[in-house]
Amino acid sequence: MNWILLIIGGLFETGFAISLGKAQESSGKEFILWLISFAVCVSISMFLLYKAMGGEKPIPVGTAYAVWGAIGAVGTVVSGILIFKEPVTFWRLFFLSTLVISIVGLKFVSE
């Protein structure tokens, strides 16, 4: 269950990064709404990270933070490509894939 909480928390981390990016592109009421979205996403993300590090089978803090951050990073890069039309290059995708492999590796060695 803690791993599910951690994954969802990482997805909300992506949400707060996207919210910041969209806030930079907007103004007025839309800007305020994106900042509210940021605050909600960061709060949920941090709470889920906290919950994943506790309970019956806690995930060690170093592993939890690394996986949480990596999920957010991967999600943010993919979102940047899809939403913000950021460039897609071989090296960018190569290093993104090594990050994904590292996340999976941490999951397996943390049992």
Side-chain angles (χ1 to χ4, degrees):
M1 182 63 174
N2 286 355
W3 282 100
I4 293 170
L5 294 176
L6 188 62
I7 291 166
I8 295 169
L11 295 174
F12 273 97
E13 185 186 0
T14 298
F16 77 69
I18 292 169
S19 296
L20 284 178
K22 294 302 271 184
Q24 288 181 333
E25 297 178 350
S26 60
S27 61
K29 279 186 179 181
E30 186 180 354
F31 173 76
I32 298 299
L33 290 174
W34 282 116
L35 287 184
I36 291 169
S37 171
F38 165 77
V40 169
C41 286
V42 77
S43 297
I44 292 170
S45 181
M46 293 289 175
F47 177 74
L48 292 174
L49 173 62
Y50 165 78
K51 293 298 281 184
M53 293 187 300
E56 276 185 38
K57 291 186 175 182
I59 302 171
V61 66
T63 300
Y65 186 77
V67 171
W68 173 81
I71 291 169
V74 169
T76 301
V77 170
V78 171
S79 298
I81 290 168
L82 298 175
I83 296 171
F84 299 106
K85 307 299 182 217
E86 293 176 357
V88 180
T89 66
F90 169 80
W91 288 112
R92 196 166 191 204
L93 295 178
F94 172 78
F95 288 116
L96 190 62
S97 66
T98 62
L99 186 56
V100 170
I101 291 166
S102 296
I103 294 169
V104 172
L106 278 172
K107 162 73 170 103
F108 285 115
V109 300
S110 295
E111 295 297 328

